[in-house]
Structures are given as C-alpha cells and as structure tokens.
C-alpha cells in the first residue's frame, strides 16, 4: 500500500538535520551551543537570556536566525558560518540509506533550514555525496525559513520541484504543513510519531521506509 501511494512521485525532497542522520548524533546540541554564544555576543546579553531568545525566536519565527534578522537586523552570513562550524567526526557512512536514495526514480534534492555548505559536509560524512540533484539551504529562500510556505515556493521554483508529483521527508512536524497544502506526500522521520492531519506517514527508519518503495 505504501508503494502504491508513492507511485506518482518522481520528485523527492529531504530535510537534512535529524532526517538524513539519526537524532542520536545530536549535531544540534553543538549548533545550539554556538547559537547561544552568538546571540550573547551579538546582543550583549547573558547566557540565560540568549537561550530564552534562541528558543522564543525558533518558536515565533521558524528559526532563531529569522527572529534575529527581523527583531535585530542581524547579518545572516557570518551567523550561518559560525553556528555550523561543528564537528562531524562521529557521523558514520550509511551504505543502506545511500542505496535506497539512489534507487528512487526521478529528481532528488536536499532542502534544509541550515546552509548548503553545511549540508554538503553532512552528506559527505554520511556517504551521501553525489546522490542529489541539488542542495538548498535557507539562503536559497532569501533566509526565509521553513515552515513558511513562501520559503518552500522559492526553493521549489529554483529546484524545478513539482509538488503534485513530490514527497517531503522531514523531522519537524510543522515543516510538513506547507508541503501537504501544496499537494505533496508527507513523511515524518523521527523516533516518535506525531499525529496531525498534514502528516501522512511516519517512520523511525528512513532507509527501511524507502525500501518499501522499491
């Protein structure tokens, strides 16, 4: 049944963080430390206030960066370089996932709220380099983040993604709402399911899910 519901799909869109690697890698722990430090320095606030703002802006604006840009006119370029300068040493190559992505028919992209250069580093560490037709970061949407539909529209226009023939794989449930409205198949990739009308499928194992589509 799963295979049949994806039979029309030939455009495949993958989020990066906690989607193309397991959340147990905890890369975002490193990123959050860097983000908090950047907010402390940029706004001249203490750690507690920086953490509060980091979480508040993520909730209200989709990303901490979007909040910093809208509320404080922060330059996004040095911020993105700094917060993604993290160690990827503990990521492992995943030959099974690479094989399953390779087997998918059609057009495949990565679309992340991180930066494209960071995504390329993660893909290399996971053994997934060269499998995608494009890698798109938040910069490709003018730093407008998921979950905003306008961000998806900008990236999909650049990537020539046809939503009616596309599927979206994403760990953050709110980032699947716009793809669902646009007519995409939606797959929540996370250890625990999240019940919502805009989430059609859930998997805790992306490679296993993709194997069902062969």
């Amino acid at each position: 049944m799963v295979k049949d519901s994806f039979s029309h799909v030939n455009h495949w869109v993958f989020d990066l963080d906690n989607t193309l690697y397991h959340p147990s890698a905890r890369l975002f722990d490193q990123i959050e430390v860097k983000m908090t430090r950047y907010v402390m320095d940029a706004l001249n606030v203490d750690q507690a206030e920086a953490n509060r703002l980091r979480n508040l802006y993520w909730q209200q604006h989709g990303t901490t960066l979007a909040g910093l840009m809208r509320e404080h006119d922060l330059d996004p370029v040095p911020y993105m370089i700094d917060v993604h300068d993290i160690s990827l040493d503990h990521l492992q190559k995943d030959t099974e996932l690479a094989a399953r992505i390779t087997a998918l028919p059609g057009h495949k992209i990565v679309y992340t709220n991180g930066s494209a250069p960071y995504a390329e580093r993660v893909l290399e560490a996971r053994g997934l380099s060269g499998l995608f037709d494009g890698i798109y970061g938040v910069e490709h949407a003018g730093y407008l983040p998921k979950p905003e539909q306008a961000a998806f529209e900008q990236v999909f226009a650049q990537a020539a993604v046809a939503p009616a023939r596309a599927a979206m794989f994403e760990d953050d449930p709110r980032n699947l709402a716009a793809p669902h409205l646009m007519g995409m198949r939606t797959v929540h990739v996370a250890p625990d399911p999240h019940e919502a009308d805009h989430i059609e499928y859930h998997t805790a194992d992306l490679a296993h899910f993709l194997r069902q589509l062969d």
Side-chain angles (χ1 to χ4, degrees):
M1 289 182 62
V2 174
K3 182 177 180 178
D4 289 345
S5 66
F6 284 78
S7 62
H8 68 293
V9 174
N10 59 6
H11 291 231
W12 309 86
V13 183
F14 295 87
D15 176 49
L16 180 77
D17 287 310
N18 297 332
T19 299
L20 291 177
Y21 62 82
H22 194 271
S24 61
R26 306 194 71 83
L27 294 191
F28 229 77
D29 286 4
Q30 296 185 63
I31 293 173
E32 286 179 351
V33 169
K34 302 275 286 187
M35 291 165 67
T36 297
R37 171 53 63 183
Y38 203 97
V39 173
M40 290 172 65
D41 293 342
L43 303 185
N44 193 27
V45 296
D46 63 19
Q47 184 175 8
E49 177 64 4
N51 268 322
R52 186 187 75 82
L53 290 173
R54 177 176 58 77
N55 282 304
L56 178 67
Y57 291 161
W58 179 80
Q59 293 168 2
Q60 292 183 341
H61 299 280
T63 62
T64 299
L65 174 60
L68 290 169
M69 292 177 66
R70 292 166 184 168
E71 303 288 342
H72 305 281
D73 198 27
L74 186 87
D75 182 352
V77 176
Y79 171 92
M80 293 295 281
I81 293 171
D82 184 271
V83 303
H84 291 114
D85 183 18
I86 62 170
S87 171
L88 305 179
D89 290 347
H90 58 295
L91 285 183
Q92 297 180 347
K93 296 189 185 301
D94 190 333
T95 56
E96 171 66 9
L97 181 57
R100 298 281 68 80
I101 292 173
T102 299
L104 294 173
H107 189 65
K108 292 162 274 194
I109 70 167
V110 172
Y111 172 30
T112 173
N113 269 344
S115 69
Y118 163 70
E120 290 170 354
R121 290 180 57 221
V122 172
L123 293 175
E124 181 178 7
R126 290 285 284 153
L128 305 177
S129 293
L131 303 186
F132 298 95
D133 299 291
I135 301 170
Y136 297 85
V138 68
E139 66 268 31
H140 289 95
Y143 294 98
L144 189 68
K146 300 182 279 185
E148 297 194 36
Q149 184 165 331
F152 288 96
E153 290 170 347
Q154 289 189 56
V155 168
F156 291 171
Q158 295 172 57
V161 169
R165 294 185 285 117
M168 180 83 198
F169 299 82
E170 166 77 53
D171 73 296
D172 189 339
R174 63 184 181 166
N175 292 346
L176 290 169
H180 180 72
L181 285 174
M182 298 168 76
M184 301 176 71
R185 282 280 180 264
T186 55
V187 183
H188 181 219
V189 183
D192 299 312
H194 180 91
E195 296 297 327
D197 291 342
H198 65 271
I199 294 175
E200 297 175 297
Y201 296 92
H202 167 265
T203 183
D205 185 333
L206 179 57
H208 174 75
F209 186 87
L210 296 180
R211 195 181 308 125
Q212 299 177 71
L213 306 182
D214 285 352

